[in-house]
Amino acid sequence: MKHIYNYSLDDLTTYFQEIKQKPFHAKQVYQWLYSKMVYDFEDMSNISKNLREQLNKEMVIDDLKIKEKQVSQDGTIKYLFQLSDGHFIESVLMIHDYGQSLCVTSQVGCNMHCSFCASGLLKKQRDLTAGEMVNQIMAVSRDTGIRISHVVVMGTGEPFDNYDEVMKFVRIINQPHGLAIGARHITISTCGLVPMIERYSHEGIQTNLAISLHAPNDLIRNQLMPVNQAFPMDQLRESIKKYIETTHRRVTFEYILLDGVNDSLVCARQLAHYVKGLNAYVNLIPYNSVDEHGFSPSQNVEAFKDELLRLKVNCTVRKEHGRDIDGACGQLRAKRSGVI
Ligand code: SAH
């Protein structure tokens, strides 16, 4: 079976031509799928019976099963989904004052093995398809009746290790006849795969880039993030600088504050130095404890922030969502798989 959420509007138009159907039906089907959120071909009433039957035979629409749902007091909802091959993934819906954002998973497991992260507890089983990422948005919208306005590719996985499918996903949800989620409302977060940052700078799309930095120097970053051994901070900075020059977009640095590891004022000064001269801002993230890893949340968040502000670095402390549920990346899935 083919998954219709994998199809861009152009792909669907081509497909209809191949099966000797009128190409304009593609736009209609797209509207049913994404504006009316229909997930049964039978409900697409302006589509001929013959085409509906054909689609029914060859295509599936919704292919994610909701296995578990945790609702936080602050409105955050964490979903555990099962894919058609049995694997589990998570998505998190967060309610902000500016809209509703969904944190989307890009891979089953992750091979980056950052030492503080729950996702890396389970090594990568496979990449998700673009359609499986689209399906996360559709399943959550359908379940809640909420229209997702913002998307962050910050769930389990390294999006730039699944580059083509992630970019395809972005283009599908950005399509004006589909979900029409504005490019500026879409953020891709990477641990710093330098060649892919270079590629991303030439995509010609206005989506945002976030970099998981988490350390102010190579010594600390090597300990926290094995990827730093392949792409050390100088190289990373160079690629970000080029990205900013090419796209004229501002970059976000994510920085988890870990007690006694990267949260001293000396670290803040080194970080300020690293960021200086880049059109960037720093998002300080309170650590969400993962029992297995032995790190604790920093007690020095305000002082660290004040030091950055004093050094004229734009920064904010990320508001926590879903504290009372298994909010940290990959936690719910790792628990259900018996890893933690
Ligand atoms: N691989 C990508 C996207 C997934 S991680 C990346 O590295 O950016 C998304 C963000 O959540 C990253 O900044 C990651 O470092 C952070 N994160 C992971 N575990 C966390 C935890 N326990 N508490 C807070 N943030 C965490």
Side-chain angles (χ1 to χ4, degrees):
M1 286 292 239
K2 301 183 174 85
H3 295 255
I4 199 158
Y5 290 145
N6 258 325
Y7 283 68
S8 67
L9 185 56
D10 284 349
D11 292 343
L12 201 62
T13 308
T14 310
Y15 171 71
F16 280 2
Q17 277 161 342
E18 279 164 16
I19 62 171
K20 308 268 178 296
Q21 294 282 352
K22 303 238 163 49
F24 71 84
H25 287 314
K27 227 177 247 171
Q28 292 174 323
V29 169
Y30 239 62
Q31 267 158 8
W32 282 112
L33 288 174
Y34 296 116
S35 300
K36 306 202 172 103
M37 309 255 174
V38 153
Y39 54 104
D40 187 338
F41 291 115
E42 288 310 312
D43 294 336
M44 301 184 177
S45 54
N46 62 353
I47 307 290
S48 71
K49 191 161 186 292
N50 153 284
L51 176 55
R52 272 184 277 147
E53 273 169 11
Q54 199 160 359
L55 288 173
N56 246 331
K57 244 191 286 158
E58 293 181 13
M59 296 260 195
V60 287
I61 303 183
D62 188 22
D63 207 18
L64 280 186
K65 277 199 205 95
I66 299 178
K67 293 306 272 189
E68 196 174 326
K69 210 171 128 177
Q70 294 185 347
V71 184
S72 159
Q73 279 170 3
D74 64 17
T76 303
I77 309 182
K78 183 148 203 168
Y79 287 87
L80 183 73
F81 291 115
Q82 189 166 33
L83 300 164
S84 54
D85 65 358
H87 285 305
F88 292 103
I89 57 163
E90 305 179 354
S91 316
V92 184
L93 174 70
M94 289 163 288
I95 313 294
H96 305 278
D97 40 13
Y98 56 79
Q100 295 73 240
S101 77
L102 190 72
C103 179
V104 169
T105 280
S106 59
Q107 297 178 315
V108 180
C110 183
N111 275 347
M112 299 300 130
H113 303 303
C114 300
S115 59
F116 47 81
C117 176
S119 300
L121 288 170
L122 295 162
K123 95 187 221 321
K124 184 176 106 175
Q125 307 290 321
R126 70 170 174 88
D127 291 326
L128 293 194
T129 62
E132 285 169 329
M133 292 180 249
V134 176
N135 207 156
Q136 293 172 53
I137 300 179
M138 301 314 293
V140 171
S141 301
R142 203 171 289 139
D143 184 56
T144 56
I146 287 175
R147 201 162 270 277
I148 309 287
S149 58
H150 292 67
V151 169
V152 290
V153 189
M154 277 191 199
T156 303
E158 167 49 46
F160 280 179
D161 182 37
N162 185 16
Y163 189 88
D164 292 336
E165 290 299 309
V166 167
M167 290 318 296
K168 185 174 166 190
F169 159 69
V170 164
R171 293 207 154 87
I172 292 174
I173 63 172
N174 181 234
Q175 162 62 239
H177 294 284
L179 285 174
I181 298 176
R184 284 161 189 266
H185 289 186
I186 303 172
T187 301
I188 301 180
S189 178
T190 178
C191 64
L193 299 180
V194 165
M196 294 300 141
I197 295 172
E198 282 165 14
R199 201 168 149 196
Y200 186 62
S201 53
H202 300 294
E203 285 291 340
I205 191 162
Q206 300 284 308
T207 44
N208 307 304
L209 177 64
I211 307 282
S212 293
L213 196 65
H214 307 323
N217 60 51
D218 282 327
L219 202 67
I220 300 178
R221 200 165 192 263
N222 281 338
Q223 281 165 20
L224 297 176
M225 304 176 71
V227 67
N228 198 65
Q229 283 152 28
F231 305 111
M233 287 178 69
D234 272 354
Q235 259 187 52
L236 179 61
R237 192 178 186 285
E238 206 41 48
S239 71
I240 294 166
K241 191 162 162 268
K242 277 204 211 123
Y243 169 86
I244 294 169
E245 281 164 10
T246 312
T247 62
H248 307 292
R249 308 277 304 146
R250 187 162 81 155
V251 162
T252 304
F253 285 111
E254 293 159 287
Y255 194 102
I256 302 176
L257 285 163
L258 301 163
D259 185 40
V261 176
N262 63 0
D263 65 340
S264 68
L265 293 187
V266 174
C267 286
R269 284 169 213 143
Q270 289 177 354
L271 176 62
H273 181 71
Y274 188 79
V275 170
K276 207 173 165 187
L278 296 175
N279 179 18
Y281 89 91
V282 174
N283 203 351
L284 297 172
I285 308 176
Y287 181 57
N288 224 323
S289 289
V290 180
D291 300 344
E292 284 51 43
H293 289 331
F295 294 110
S296 354
S298 169
Q299 306 301 312
N300 203 30
V301 177
E302 282 307 308
F304 195 94
K305 186 185 91 180
D306 289 345
E307 186 65 4
L308 288 180
L309 291 175
R310 191 181 70 79
L311 296 167
K312 309 267 182 293
V313 175
N314 287 319
C315 73
T316 47
V317 177
R318 182 185 286 174
K319 197 170 156 266
E320 284 183 273
H321 291 270
R323 255 250 117 133
D324 50 334
I325 55 178
D326 292 311
C329 326
Q331 269 189 1
L332 178 59
R333 173 171 168 265
K335 260 190 196 163
R336 296 299 170 262
S337 312
V339 180
I340 59 177

